């Protein structure tokens, strides 16, 4: 009799290997771009060093607010009341962990462990993370839809032949038919659990308000960081224009699984700013300032908080 061998861990490891390989490839490409455009980056860093300190303080306060809004959205995704201080600390630690692993794996692992420590089963914790992620994506799309009419034509979609979307649709339909029998049985339970959690949350107005308010505030505060940095370095761009460029660029960068968007988000933001008429050196200074406040400066303190939470068995 052949023993029943569980191949799920092997499959999971293969997925991690593929993600890690793609991540390393993307990081190598980002390093090559950085080396090629180093004079522009250096000029941007010098411009950032002479930036308006008042606007940089506004950007720093907005960056601090992103972790509070993330905690608010996470509380909104859970019916059970979570400890507020530890919840904010977990979001801060999760942002640091997110810079170590691709595709949000670090942030997801930290938040899942925190929810489990708060008494949620693993399945419920994963469902809460899925609800929060879905709300964040919807909130970003709503903000883009609200800002796009202010700057018509700013987000130009390139023209593609009609045969291309038809071919993509046909291929997607064929793939769905092929994998439905295998994957639907596994996904059906997860989809049902997430749907049930969404119904339970929206039956409680306070939780629904926290989920959607925190999700909108998270995206809006990140946009505010970039807006304040552009003001600090003297870029003549309106706040609505910068916010729309940020939302579009960060949405595109989310498709690439680099840790914390390293390389992908930097390139997308720089490309969006330069495409709107910003000089390359000025765009580099704005991107450097944004990443400094949202990634590099909080990184080591975030790791310290992560270590403290693990030591205190909060994770």
């Amino acid at each position: 009799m052949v023993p029943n061998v569980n191949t799920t861990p092997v499959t999971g490891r293969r997925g991690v290997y593929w993600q890690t390989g793609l991540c390393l490839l993307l990081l190598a490409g980002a390093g090559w771009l950085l080396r090629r455009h180093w004079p522009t980056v250096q000029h941007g860093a010098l411009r950032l060093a002479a930036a308006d300190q008042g606007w940089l303080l506004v950007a720093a306060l907005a960056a601090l607010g992103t972790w509070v809004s993330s905690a608010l959205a996470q509380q909104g995704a859970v019916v059970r009341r979570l400890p507020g201080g530890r919840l904010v600390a977990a979001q801060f630690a999760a942002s640091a962990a997110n810079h170590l692993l691709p595709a949000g794996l670090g942030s997801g692992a930290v938040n899942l462990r925190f929810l489990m420590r708060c008494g949620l089963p693993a399945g419920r914790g994963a469902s809460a993370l899925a609800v929060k992620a879905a709300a964040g994506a919807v909130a970003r799309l709503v903000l883009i839809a609200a800002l796009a009419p202010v700057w018509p034509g700013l987000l130009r979609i390139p023209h593609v032949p009609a045969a291309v979307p038809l071919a993509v649709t046909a291929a997607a339909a064929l793939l769905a038919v092929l994998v439905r029998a295998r994957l639907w049985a596994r996904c059906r339970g997860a989809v049902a659990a997430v749907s049930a959690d969404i119904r339970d949350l929206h039956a409680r107005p306070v939780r629904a308000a926290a989920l959607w308010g925190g999700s909108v505030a998270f995206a809006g505060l990140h946009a505010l960081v970039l807006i304040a940095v552009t003001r600090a370095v003297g870029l003549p761009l309106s706040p609505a224009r910068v916010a729309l460029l940020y939302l579009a660029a960060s949405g595109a960068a989310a498709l690439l699984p680099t840790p914390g968007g390293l390389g992908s988000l930097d390139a997308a933001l720089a490309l969006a700013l330069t495409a709107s008429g910003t000089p390359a050196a000025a765009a580099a200074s704005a991107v450097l300032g944004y990443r400094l406040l949202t990634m590099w400066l909080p990184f080591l303190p975030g790791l310290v908080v992560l270590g403290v939470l693990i030591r205190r068995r909060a994770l």
Side-chain angles (χ1 to χ4, degrees):
M1 181 176 180
V2 180
N4 184 16
V5 179
N6 185 7
T7 60
T8 301
V10 177
T11 305
R13 285 197 297 269
R14 289 175 180 173
V16 172
Y17 293 155
W18 277 106
Q19 289 181 339
T20 304
L22 180 58
C23 174
L24 293 176
L25 181 63
L26 292 171
L27 290 178
W32 176 80
L33 289 174
L34 178 63
R35 181 178 180 183
R36 181 178 181 182
H37 299 283
W38 177 248
T40 300
V41 175
Q42 187 177 28
H43 189 274
L46 294 175
R47 183 169 179 167
L48 179 63
D52 186 296
Q53 299 299 311
W55 278 112
L56 288 181
L57 178 60
V58 173
L61 293 175
L64 291 175
T66 59
W67 295 298
V68 178
S69 60
S70 179
L72 182 63
Q74 188 62 79
Q75 174 62 86
V78 178
V79 174
R80 176 179 301 187
R81 184 173 181 81
L82 302 173
R86 281 190 291 160
L87 177 57
V88 175
Q91 303 313 301
F92 187 57
S95 67
N98 201 40
H99 302 325
L100 300 175
L101 295 173
L105 294 178
S107 175
V110 170
N111 277 306
L112 181 59
R113 288 294 303 170
F114 172 76
L115 293 176
M116 292 174 64
R117 286 292 186 183
C118 292
L120 271 72
R124 285 292 181 183
S127 177
L129 295 181
V131 170
K132 180 187 176 186
V138 172
R140 188 179 298 273
L141 291 175
V142 169
L143 289 174
I144 292 176
L147 292 173
V150 180
W151 293 97
L154 183 61
L155 302 181
R156 293 184 296 271
I157 300 176
H159 174 73
V160 294
V164 174
L166 290 177
V168 172
T169 303
L174 179 61
L175 181 62
V177 171
L178 292 176
V179 303
R180 180 179 177 182
R182 174 176 295 181
L183 296 181
W184 177 243
R186 299 179 181 179
C187 296
R188 183 168 50 192
V191 171
V194 172
S195 301
D197 284 350
I198 291 175
R199 288 193 298 269
D200 290 342
L201 292 170
H202 285 81
R204 295 166 171 80
V206 174
R207 289 291 183 264
L211 174 64
W212 293 107
S215 298
V216 172
F218 181 78
L221 286 170
H222 269 282
L224 180 57
V225 175
L226 185 60
I227 290 169
V229 172
T230 58
R231 291 299 176 116
V233 298
L235 293 185
L237 297 174
S238 70
R241 187 183 183 95
V242 176
L244 183 56
L245 290 173
Y246 164 78
L247 292 168
S250 59
L255 301 176
L256 300 177
T258 57
L262 183 61
S264 60
L265 180 56
D266 305 85
L269 286 174
L271 180 61
L273 290 172
T274 53
S276 67
T278 304
S285 64
V287 174
L288 285 173
Y290 169 79
R291 296 297 269 171
L292 186 68
L293 292 170
T294 58
M295 178 178 177
W296 295 114
L297 287 180
F299 180 61
L300 288 180
L303 291 181
V304 172
V305 172
L306 178 61
V308 171
L309 291 174
I310 293 174
R311 185 180 182 86
R312 295 182 177 180
R313 299 185 181 277
L315 293 179

